[in-house]
Amino acid sequence: MTRWLLPPGIHRTESSVMTDNDDPPRTETMVRTVALSKDFAGFTAVDRVNLSVTAGHVHALVGPNGAGKTTLFNLLTGVHRPSRGRIEVAGRDVTGSTPERIAGLGVARSFQITKLFDTLTVAEHVELALAARTRIGYRFWASGRTFARFRDEAARLLESVGLVRRSADAAGSLPYGQRRALELACALALDPKVLLLDEPTAGMGVEDISRTVELIQQVRAGRTIVMVEHNMSVVADLADKVTVLQAGVILAEGPYQKIRQDPRVVTAYLGSAHA
């Protein structure tokens, strides 16, 4: 049984109320897919998905294992080429583009499995990520003097994720929650407009989850965040909109409170006896 439906007592609050006399706010779509599909040897992992992510929002993708969430992430970042359909970032068609080109448009991603270099220091990770925005790129062999220009900004980023005191420590010495925080700092070093977070709280204890939620709240300003997340308490706290995937298709979509009460979602994940 999945663990992501919440009891009735947990809810989100709205930051503002619009009256009948108010004009609706102008919104911009930062990420958009049209009839997006991906086939693997006859199996359709993502099937005609129409996704619209509003600029400045946190948009959560939820669903059981095998629903197509990570495949959709891989399509958005250019890791996989679509079988059919279209992908747009900030109004630009990036269908079939390389990960490098999509990253160049301001899209950064963290992974479900943390990918760090255990022998590099915490600061060196962030400095290397900052260098990737310049002509230096990911040149590990560059001299320490070359990377010295990034130390102040790296320290600022590490301060923002609570790791500045561990700047000189090897990444391999960090506990799991801090490793995820370092990965997020590396993603932020790319100064992304769109941040894709793949299960940012997976494997964390309660305290680390709370810190991660606070951290995402801090870094969301001026950014669009798309996240895959199984912990629906986290989704309730962070998401402006939720898309539920099942077997590669969109089952339901909308604000968290609407989704958690949708009979199709209840039936799909708890069984017809609970509907």
Side-chain angles (χ1 to χ4, degrees):
M1 180 180 296
T2 56
R3 56 185 173 87
W4 61 267
L5 285 173
L6 287 179
I10 299 179
H11 60 278
R12 294 188 68 235
T13 59
E14 298 297 329
S15 59
S16 61
V17 177
M18 186 172 71
T19 67
D20 291 339
N21 294 326
D22 291 333
D23 292 329
R26 296 181 62 184
T27 59
E28 174 189 353
T29 299
M30 182 59 71
V31 179
R32 180 171 177 255
T33 70
V34 180
L36 188 64
S37 300
K38 179 62 180 177
D39 301 328
F40 294 101
F43 170 73
T44 302
V46 172
D47 189 6
R48 293 169 292 178
V49 166
N50 295 312
L51 185 71
S52 181
V53 180
T54 301
H57 280 196
V58 175
H59 194 124
L61 304 177
V62 303
N65 292 335
K69 305 182 298 297
T70 297
T71 300
L72 180 55
F73 257 35
N74 286 336
L75 291 168
L76 294 177
T77 53
V79 175
H80 294 327
R81 293 178 63 90
S83 301
R84 296 170 298 281
R86 187 169 76 251
I87 305 170
E88 298 176 2
V89 174
R92 297 186 182 184
D93 189 342
V94 298
T95 309
S97 295
T98 64
E100 292 78 12
R101 178 171 181 253
I102 294 174
L105 293 175
V107 179
R109 174 182 180 177
S110 74
F111 287 82
Q112 181 178 1
I113 300 174
T114 304
K115 299 178 182 294
L116 299 174
F117 300 97
D118 287 348
T119 58
L120 289 182
T121 69
V122 169
E124 286 170 341
H125 275 83
V126 181
E127 289 167 7
L128 189 62
L130 289 167
R133 291 161 41 188
T134 71
R135 293 182 179 180
I136 298 173
Y138 292 101
R139 284 160 47 188
F140 291 87
W141 57 89
S143 68
R145 183 180 301 175
T146 300
F147 286 100
R149 73 182 75 172
F150 304 113
R151 285 176 187 165
D152 289 345
E153 190 172 358
R156 180 184 61 79
L157 285 167
L158 289 172
E159 178 72 37
S160 74
V161 300
L163 289 179
V164 70
R165 293 184 177 180
R166 303 212 59 174
S167 297
D169 296 339
S173 70
L174 298 179
Y176 182 75
Q178 290 185 347
R179 289 174 67 89
R180 298 308 299 263
L182 176 55
E183 188 184 30
L184 180 57
C186 290
L188 293 175
L190 301 176
D191 195 22
K193 297 176 183 176
V194 181
L195 186 59
L196 305 181
L197 303 178
D198 196 351
E199 299 196 26
T201 66
M204 291 185 180
V206 174
E207 291 185 2
D208 279 340
I209 288 175
S210 297
R211 281 193 290 265
T212 300
V213 168
E214 291 177 3
L215 180 57
I216 294 172
Q217 290 281 29
Q218 291 172 15
V219 304
R220 67 175 293 180
R223 295 184 176 91
T224 303
I225 296 178
V226 185
M227 68 176 187
V228 170
E229 183 56 66
H230 283 289
N231 187 325
M232 288 302 284
S233 294
V234 172
V235 173
D237 286 338
L238 292 173
D240 298 294
K241 188 175 182 181
V242 182
T243 296
V244 183
L245 291 171
Q246 182 186 37
V249 302
I250 294 179
L251 177 66
E253 192 170 61
Y256 172 74
Q257 283 299 320
K258 175 183 176 182
I259 290 300
R260 69 182 298 276
Q261 298 174 15
D262 190 310
R264 297 169 299 170
V265 176
V266 175
T267 299
Y269 295 108
L270 294 182
S272 59
H274 296 270

